[in-house]
Amino acid sequence: MVQSVGIKDVARAAGVSVGTVSNVINRPETVAGETRARVLSAIDRLGYVRSESARQLRAGRSRIMGLLVLDMGSPFFVDVARGAERAARDAGLGVMVCNSARNAAEEAEYLFLFAEQRVRGVLLTPADATGRNIAAFRRHGIPFVLVDRVADGTTECSVSVDDVAGGALAVRHLVDAGHRSIAYVSGPPGLNQVRDRRTGALNALAEAGLGPDALRELPTERPDVAAGRDAGARLLGLADRPTAVFCANDLLALGVLQALYAAGVVVPDDLAIVGYDDIEFAAAAAVPLTSVRQPAVTMGALAAELLLEETEAGTEGGAGRHEHRRVVLQPELVVRRSSLAAR
């Protein structure tokens, strides 16, 4: 078994005290040039690597930011992570990415892990609708920012998208194309985003003088391609099938598109489709997908910047008191062939 090289080994090899080695590593300007060179030579010869985690614990300043998302299998959250990682890297930090898999118990375990590791702060998309996990984590005094969510009863910083406006964009586009009966393939009903996008859809119908019965909801347990295929099969089985479908995300929309293609239904001539998120695969689908674009990379970057601002406010040289902010970004409709047939 290979033994790791410690600071005492370096001190012994260089013929100096442990304190001198520590000074060479952390405050090299305080050590005489000849002694510093001898210590650095010993470090290089022995292959010593300092324990960054121990240093951080002593200093009380971790260089790691936690990111806990609902589903790392979702391209949307991959983009959020990209934005957060970019902002963290610019600040000299790393990101520990964890996946709650939409499970409140797993979320609680990861939040405990973050507290145990004394991370600098946490970016969190909550899985626990009750707010208990957030309340428990708050007791550790570690700053956190909510991503893609504004949880009820919290005052912390958050970065989200106006999903009511996004749902309205999607359905207004379909109504303007002449559709009067629209299906809504939704994700898990417990998700705020699903409810908000439905609210926006109903608002757009009301603007056009159409009642809520013009929207036929097809709920799904998961927001993925397989659930979309299942919803597509149910859609095909409706006796009074709508002429268009709005999906709560692009993965669901791609699944619906697969089901329709397999059944010989032509998109958009027989049935128009609009998705949500505008993931990379949307434009590359067999029928390029109209989608409501969320600025996911920007969302992750802004959330990380808010977290860094908060963690720096109370440090020496910081700006002092931090004021929590709720940033709401606006979505954008990206029109492609899946919704362009004339009615």
Side-chain angles (χ1 to χ4, degrees):
M1 179 176 168
V2 178
Q3 295 290 326
S4 62
V5 176
I7 193 169
K8 291 181 179 178
D9 300 310
V10 174
R12 190 179 303 113
V16 298
S17 69
V18 169
T20 298
V21 176
S22 177
N23 285 337
V24 169
I25 294 170
N26 298 298
R27 295 177 296 278
E29 71 281 356
T30 66
V31 182
E34 182 183 344
T35 303
R36 186 166 67 242
R38 195 163 69 249
V39 171
L40 291 174
S41 175
I43 287 173
D44 183 61
R45 188 169 67 254
L46 297 175
Y48 168 74
V49 178
R50 70 176 177 179
S51 173
E52 181 66 14
S53 60
R55 186 191 69 80
Q56 291 171 11
L57 288 176
R58 286 193 299 272
R61 295 286 291 167
S62 171
R63 292 180 59 244
I64 298 297
M65 178 186 298
L67 171 63
L68 182 54
V69 301
L70 294 178
D71 180 10
M72 274 309 296
S74 165
F76 168 76
F77 284 113
V78 171
D79 284 345
V80 168
R82 283 175 49 215
E85 190 274 337
R86 185 182 304 164
R89 185 178 64 235
D90 289 346
L93 304 182
V95 179
M96 180 192 298
V97 182
C98 297
N99 177 23
S100 71
R102 305 180 188 275
N103 184 291
E106 291 190 31
E107 175 182 81
E109 291 176 7
Y110 279 125
L111 288 175
F112 181 79
L113 173 65
F114 289 152
E116 201 173 44
Q117 295 296 316
R118 303 187 193 182
V119 297
R120 177 77 63 94
V122 174
L123 306 178
L124 170 65
T125 304
D128 176 25
T130 69
R132 284 193 289 266
N133 285 344
I134 288 179
F137 184 70
R138 191 181 284 113
R139 291 197 293 267
H140 296 291
I142 297 174
F144 65 92
V145 174
L146 299 176
V147 183
D148 195 34
R149 188 74 57 86
V150 177
D152 294 335
T154 66
T155 59
E156 281 77 17
C157 288
S158 65
V159 182
S160 60
V161 169
D162 188 342
D163 284 311
V164 174
L169 281 174
V171 171
R172 192 178 297 123
H173 168 68
L174 292 172
V175 169
D176 288 346
H179 298 282
R180 294 298 180 266
S181 178
I182 300 169
Y184 176 43
V185 176
S186 61
L191 292 179
N192 291 346
Q193 294 92 329
V194 169
R195 294 196 297 269
D196 287 348
R197 291 166 197 177
R198 180 179 183 275
T199 297
L202 292 173
N203 289 348
L205 290 174
E207 290 172 8
L210 300 171
D213 56 344
L215 191 73
R216 299 279 297 277
E217 185 166 1
L218 298 173
T220 64
E221 293 184 1
R222 305 174 315 280
D224 57 25
V225 173
R229 284 196 297 267
D230 174 73
R234 284 184 280 148
L235 178 63
L236 290 168
L238 295 177
D240 53 343
R241 191 169 74 202
T243 60
V245 56
F246 166 44
C247 298
N249 74 11
D250 286 342
L251 296 180
L252 288 169
L254 292 171
V256 170
L257 181 61
Q258 289 178 5
L260 298 181
Y261 180 81
V265 175
V266 178
V267 175
D269 296 342
D270 298 332
L271 198 148
I273 302 178
V274 175
Y276 205 104
D277 289 340
D278 195 34
I279 62 175
E280 183 178 355
F281 303 120
V287 180
L289 186 66
T290 294
S291 184
V292 177
R293 175 178 294 164
Q294 295 201 83
V297 174
T298 299
M299 189 184 303
L302 283 175
E305 288 167 8
L306 285 174
L307 186 61
L308 289 166
E309 179 184 298
E310 181 173 358
T311 60
E312 292 298 326
T315 64
E316 184 178 349
R321 181 178 174 81
H322 170 77
E323 292 187 7
H324 291 308
R325 286 184 286 153
R326 293 188 173 185
V327 179
V328 180
L329 303 174
Q330 292 303 308
E332 173 191 358
L333 182 70
V334 180
V335 178
R336 300 190 181 96
R337 191 155 61 87
S338 71
S339 65
L340 283 181
R343 302 299 304 171

